[in-house]
C-alpha cells in the first residue's frame, strides 16, 4: 500500500495535469477534482487529512518562494516578503 506522501504526490501531479488540459476548455470553472479510493474508511480518512494538511504547507511554500523572487529582484529577506505579502 502506498504511503500518504506518495498518494499526495501522485494526486498533485494528476490535478496539475488536469488543470493544464482543461485551462482552455469553455465553461471550465478552474477547479480540478480527484477522487481517491481506498480499501478502508480509516485509511481513506487518514489519506484525506494528510493530503489536505500537506497541500496547505506546499501552497504556503510556493507563495513564499514566488514573493521572495518578485521582491527586490530575488534578494528579499523573509521578513520583507512577509511584509509585502
Amino acid at each position: 500500500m502506498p504511503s500518504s506522501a506518495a498518494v499526495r504526490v501522485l494526486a498533485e501531479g494528476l490535478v496539475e495535469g488536469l488543470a493544464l488540459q482543461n485551462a482552455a476548455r469553455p465553461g471550465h470553472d478552474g477547479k480540478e477534482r480527484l477522487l481517491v479510493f481506498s480499501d478502508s474508511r480509516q485509511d481513506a480518512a487518514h489519506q484525506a487529512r494528510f493530503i489536505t494538511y500537506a497541500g496547505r504547507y506546499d501552497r504556503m511554500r510556493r507563495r513564499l518562494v514566488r514573493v521572495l523572487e518578485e521582491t527586490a529582484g530575488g534578494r528579499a529577506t523573509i521578513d520583507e516578503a512577509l511584509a509585502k505579502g
Side-chain angles (χ1 to χ4, degrees):
M1 180 183 304
S3 68
S4 295
V7 171
R8 183 187 62 81
V9 169
L10 288 171
E12 277 189 358
L14 287 169
V15 168
E16 288 171 7
L18 286 170
L20 289 173
Q21 251 186 342
N22 293 324
R25 198 176 93 207
H28 182 60
D29 64 3
K31 295 180 182 178
E32 308 309 326
R33 295 155 185 92
L34 180 68
L35 181 60
V36 178
F37 290 91
S38 177
D39 59 353
S40 77
R41 280 185 269 173
Q42 182 180 6
D43 184 52
H46 174 74
Q47 298 284 353
R49 280 192 306 271
F50 181 82
I51 289 170
T52 301
Y53 177 79
R56 286 182 190 140
Y57 282 96
D58 286 344
R59 283 189 300 278
M60 180 182 65
R61 284 186 203 106
R62 284 193 297 266
R63 287 179 185 149
L64 179 58
V65 167
R66 187 183 71 237
V67 171
L68 284 170
E69 289 172 348
E70 292 172 355
T71 305
R75 295 190 176 107
T77 65
I78 290 178
D79 288 335
E80 292 168 339
L82 291 174
K84 179 185 177 194

